[in-house]
């Protein structure tokens, strides 16, 4: 076996181990999804397109409450109508220098315009992440680049991702297992 095949086999073993370690969580998440995020049902077993997912919902209290939480988090933490991030240098003395302040201000403006540019899907992905965070306590956002060079934000379903943390509790590994159509694969080429 060559080195690449060995690396792939090792990554597959690590994914399988991480997937197995969260088995109990998947059962809990499935139950939560059935009442709070029916669109996210699918932690346990395969789901088919068009399958009814609202069968266990007796009233919309859980769904509505999670939507309110997500809207509140979005409006308070990352409101697009207000400046919710800023840049600073680690060296506090540099932060008082006018050229540095001007530079950081310009970079903030450019970052803002790139994040909120049409087609980035930032606002939608962020809302989906807040919904997942409220329901499951965990959310995953993919940040990539579109073919036109613009940013691309996508909320990833927790059911298709497994994560691992380093010794400091920081996520340092994300595996995503998902299916694509032949057409989608061809578009990636």
């Amino acid at each position: 076996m060559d080195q690449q095949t060995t690396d792939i086999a090792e990554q597959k073993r690590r994914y399988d181990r991480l997937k197995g370690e969260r088995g109990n969580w998947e059962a809990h998440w499935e139950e939560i999804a059935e009442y709070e995020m029916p669109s996210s049902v699918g932690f346990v077993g395969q789901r088919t397109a068009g399958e009814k997912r609202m069968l266990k919902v007796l009233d919309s209290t859980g769904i509505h409450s999670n939507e309110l939480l997500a809207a509140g988090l979005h409006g308070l933490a990352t409101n697009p109508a207000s400046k919710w991030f800023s840049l600073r240098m680690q060296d506090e003395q540099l932060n008082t220098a006018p050229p540095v302040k001007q530079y950081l201000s310009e970079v903030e403006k450019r970052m803002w315009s790139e994040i909120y540019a049409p087609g980035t899907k930032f606002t939608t992905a962020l809302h989906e992440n807040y919904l997942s965070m409220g329901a499951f306590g965990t959310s995953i956002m993919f940040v990539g680049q579109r073919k036109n060079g613009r940013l691309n934000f996508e909320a990833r379903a927790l059911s298709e991702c497994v994560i691992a943390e380093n010794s400091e509790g920081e996520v340092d590994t994300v595996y995503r297992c998902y299916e694509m159509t032949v057409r989608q694969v061809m578009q990636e080429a």
Side-chain angles (χ1 to χ4, degrees), residues 4-45:
Q4 185 177 8
T5 305
T6 304
D7 291 345
I8 291 169
E10 176 58 33
Q11 293 299 323
K12 174 72 169 101
R13 280 192 296 277
R14 185 160 186 234
Y15 167 82
D16 289 340
R17 183 177 48 77
L18 291 170
K19 181 80 170 157
E21 288 174 359
R22 75 177 213 170
N24 288 338
W25 285 106
E26 288 184 345
H28 296 307
W29 290 334
E30 182 78 5
E31 190 174 353
I32 291 166
E34 289 171 341
Y35 296 100
E36 288 189 30
M37 282 186 70
S39 62
S40 294
V41 169
F43 289 96
V44 180

Side-chain angles (χ1 to χ4, degrees), residues 13-106:
R13 280 192 296 277
R14 185 160 186 234
Y15 167 82
D16 289 340
R17 183 177 48 77
L18 291 170
K19 181 80 170 157
E21 288 174 359
R22 75 177 213 170
N24 288 338
W25 285 106
E26 288 184 345
H28 296 307
W29 290 334
E30 182 78 5
E31 190 174 353
I32 291 166
E34 289 171 341
Y35 296 100
E36 288 189 30
M37 282 186 70
S39 62
S40 294
V41 169
F43 289 96
V44 180
Q46 287 284 72
R47 302 293 177 196
T48 57
E51 181 179 341
K52 291 183 180 180
R53 296 180 181 210
M54 299 278 290
L55 296 174
K56 292 197 176 181
V57 176
L58 302 175
D59 71 25
S60 62
T61 302
I63 297 168
H64 183 66
S65 297
N66 196 36
E67 285 282 351
L68 284 174
L69 175 61
L73 288 170
H74 196 167
L76 294 171
T78 52
N79 188 334
S82 63
K83 183 180 169 188
W84 53 266
F85 72 88
S86 62
L87 301 177
R88 297 184 58 77
M89 303 299 284
Q90 285 184 331
D91 182 346
E92 285 299 322
Q93 283 186 320
L94 288 174
N95 288 318
T96 60
V100 173
K101 287 166 65 170
Q102 183 179 351
Y103 169 78
L104 292 176
S105 176
E106 181 59 33

Side-chain angles (χ1 to χ4, degrees), residues 142-160:
F142 169 77
V143 181
Q145 192 172 23
R146 302 178 74 78
K147 290 183 180 181
N148 65 5
R150 302 312 291 255
L151 291 173
N152 182 40
F153 296 90
E154 295 178 19
R156 298 295 192 198
L158 186 56
S159 60
E160 64 186 31

Side-chain angles (χ1 to χ4, degrees), residues 14 18 138 162-174:
R14 185 160 186 234
L18 291 170
T138 302
V162 294
I163 60 175
E165 297 176 344
N166 64 18
S167 62
E168 296 179 352
E170 298 168 333
V171 173
D172 65 355
T173 304
V174 177

